[in-house]
Amino acid sequence: MKLGRLNHVGIATPSIERSLDMYRRVFGAEPVSPAFDLPAQGVKVCFVDAPNMQVELIEPLGPDSPIAKFLEKNPEGGQHHVCFEVPDIEAARAHFDGLGTRILGPTRIGAHGTPIFFLHPKDMGGVLTEIMESPRQAH
Amino acid sequence: MKLGRLNHVGIATPSIERSLDMYRRVFGAEPVSPAFDLPAQGVKVCFVDAPNMQVELIEPLGPDSPIAKFLEKNPEGGQHHVCFEVPDIEAARAHFDGLGTRILGPTRIGAHGTPIFFLHPKDMGGVLTEIMESPRQAH
């Protein structure tokens, strides 16, 4: 499998609103659309466009959020994961399974409406890595 | 100033060689060129291409390396910084200075041979951010 396009960098934040203030002030950047909840993943997310990828801001939905522990260690937020695209999520899952790269949980629908899964940072040089099926172009 | 192209994600590693083994095995990815030393920055670096950006692997050159402390906290390595391009480094520096965003040290020549500087993570939502003048296209 070839290294695909970087879809986004995931950045954890205690407050998407505060982070958006910073992106506006520093980079004149507006969110692509309003922040929205992903209750199944325990997070609220919001995307900001750079010319060749997106920044995904991630805020915990509650104290049990999977990013709550990250924010305890990094109260101001910080780089949480990187997300690379693949053409076929099931083929990618079989590829990583075959290599013994640990996959965190089931394949599920991500923030872009396409299937995703996460690879364990301990098998990825310390980097939590999301694998995402490329969104299909609208016809 | 507009949010520019993401040039690379910087990933600290205790061993570029070991990280490259992982990128080869997992993603069939080869480095763009052999690893090289940046003695002025106390690091050795190596770039791996994704279709729309690069992964910069960074290994400390010695115990005084600026990334030595990061690796003490993250012994397996991890996401260290993100790097966005700007058309004009001096204009960018004046922009951030004017906003009161803390700049870490002088403007210097980065791994791509163009001028760069770093912004303090405390002013950037916990994200160490490199600002890099876009490489000019060869004629």
Side-chain angles (χ1 to χ4, degrees), chain B residues 3-25:
Chain B
L3 185 56
R5 186 177 173 277
L6 180 87
N7 183 274
H8 62 264
V9 172
I11 294 179
T13 171
S15 162
I16 284 179
E17 199 183 325
R18 219 166 60 199
S19 290
L20 285 178
D21 282 348
M22 186 276 283
Y23 279 92
R24 274 193 196 99
R25 200 173 68 91

Side-chain angles (χ1 to χ4, degrees), chain A residues 1-6 9 11-12 22-23 25-29 48-53 55 76-82 84 95-96 99 101 121-129 131, chain B residues 1-6 9 11-12 22-23 25-29 48-53 55 76-82 84 95-96 99 101 121-129 131:
Chain A
M1 206 182 69
K2 277 180 69 80
L3 184 56
R5 186 177 174 278
L6 180 87
V9 172
I11 294 178
M22 186 276 283
Y23 279 92
R25 201 173 67 92
V26 173
F27 289 121
V48 173
D49 269 346
N52 60 332
M53 47 73 76
V55 171
E76 301 173 60
Q79 293 179 77
H80 181 262
H81 68 270
V82 293
F84 289 103
H95 167 80
F96 292 114
L99 290 171
T101 308
K122 282 200 195 285
D123 291 338
M124 298 301 293
V127 179
L128 178 62
T129 304
I131 300 295
Chain B
M1 206 181 69
K2 278 182 67 79
L3 185 56
R5 186 177 173 277
L6 180 87
V9 172
I11 294 179
M22 186 276 283
Y23 279 92
R25 200 173 68 91
V26 173
F27 289 120
V48 173
D49 268 346
N52 60 334
M53 47 72 76
V55 172
E76 300 173 58
Q79 293 179 77
H80 181 261
H81 69 270
V82 293
F84 289 103
H95 167 79
F96 292 114
L99 289 171
T101 308
K122 280 198 194 287
D123 291 338
M124 299 301 293
V127 178
L128 178 62
T129 303
I131 300 295

Side-chain angles (χ1 to χ4, degrees), chain A residues 41-104:
Chain A
Q41 304 193 30
V43 295
K44 179 189 221 178
V45 302
C46 189
F47 289 92
V48 173
D49 269 346
N52 60 332
M53 47 73 76
Q54 292 185 310
V55 171
E56 179 185 34
L57 300 169
I58 321 163
E59 180 186 315
L61 266 185
D64 296 333
S65 171
I67 65 163
K69 202 175 276 182
F70 180 93
L71 285 169
E72 261 170 48
K73 284 189 210 155
N74 307 275
E76 301 173 60
Q79 293 179 77
H80 181 262
H81 68 270
V82 293
C83 174
F84 289 103
E85 295 181 14
V86 294
D88 178 334
I89 199 80
E90 287 313 318
R93 193 164 178 119
H95 167 80
F96 292 114
D97 257 342
L99 290 171
T101 308
R102 280 166 285 181
I103 298 176
L104 298 164

